[in-house]
Amino acid sequence: MTLAAAGDAQAFERLYRAHVARVYSLARRMVGSEEDADEATQDVFVRAWEKLGSFRGEAAFGTWLHRLAVNALLARRAGRKRRLRWEVPDPEAEQGAATVEQPELRVDFERAITQLPPGAREVFVLHDVEGFKHREIADALGVTPGTSKAQLHRARTILRRHLTP
């Protein structure tokens, strides 16, 4: 960590390799498409490289990076909203969505998440997958805790409908 903060690219590459899967997984769930998740993951690590000097070691590096990733993904959302360029992912076009390993279930949870409306998807991922509280989500998204709860309920209802045979 210290070497990476001092500008050692190989040390940063080791940090990247240790954490890229978790960041990509978060990005994939938050943004919906593989292409956008790849781009968002790159953005997170560029931002991490730039801000590495601000890491104070008060928490584990993975925790710091995760928070930075959430903030970067939310900022990306805000930027998209300002440009009024909402791109709804086409689930039929997605070829490589991850599936549950038990073939008898044949449930594609990742794909089901991509079919959620953007606001419901973000709240679902932040609350049920990442463990944030409604107050934290509300502050990050600029909504009320009640809106966060309503979006979570909406997401769960849609997922239940999608995943129930």
Side-chain angles (χ1 to χ4, degrees):
M1 175 50 227
T2 307
L3 291 174
D8 185 327
Q10 289 180 331
F12 186 77
E13 183 178 347
R14 287 190 298 274
L15 289 173
Y16 170 84
R17 290 186 189 281
H19 298 279
V20 68
R22 184 171 184 222
V23 170
Y24 176 80
S25 179
L26 174 65
R28 178 71 171 88
R29 289 181 176 119
M30 291 284 291
V31 301
S33 77
E34 290 180 19
E35 183 179 301
D36 288 344
D38 286 339
E39 185 179 318
T41 300
Q42 289 177 355
D43 291 347
V44 166
F45 279 99
V46 167
R47 185 174 288 185
W49 176 257
E50 294 169 348
K51 294 190 176 277
L52 207 50
S54 70
F55 176 67
R56 294 180 297 224
E58 295 171 359
F61 176 77
T63 303
W64 176 83
L65 180 63
H66 185 266
R67 188 65 194 161
L68 185 131
V70 168
N71 288 340
L73 291 165
L74 292 174
R76 180 183 179 86
R77 169 192 181 262
R80 289 179 84 158
K81 194 173 190 177
R82 277 193 300 274
R83 290 190 304 270
L84 297 175
R85 201 186 93 207
W86 288 97
E87 297 173 14
V88 179
D90 179 8
E92 298 302 317
E94 302 244 342
Q95 298 290 322
T99 59
V100 174
E101 293 298 319
Q102 298 172 339
E104 67 275 5
L105 293 179
R106 302 279 184 211
V107 176
D108 190 345
F109 189 64
E110 293 294 330
R111 186 167 182 203
I113 290 173
T114 67
Q115 293 180 351
L116 292 172
R121 179 176 58 234
E122 290 168 343
V123 172
F124 176 80
V125 170
L126 290 173
H127 187 273
D128 283 5
V129 177
E130 298 299 325
F132 286 89
K133 296 183 179 348
H134 286 291
R135 167 62 40 214
E136 296 170 308
I137 296 168
D139 290 345
L141 297 179
V143 299
T144 66
T147 299
S148 175
K149 291 175 186 178
Q151 289 282 28
L152 180 61
H153 175 73
R154 180 178 184 207
R156 288 175 176 168
T157 301
I158 293 169
L159 286 172
R160 198 172 295 118
R161 192 175 330 124
H162 179 77
L163 297 172
T164 303

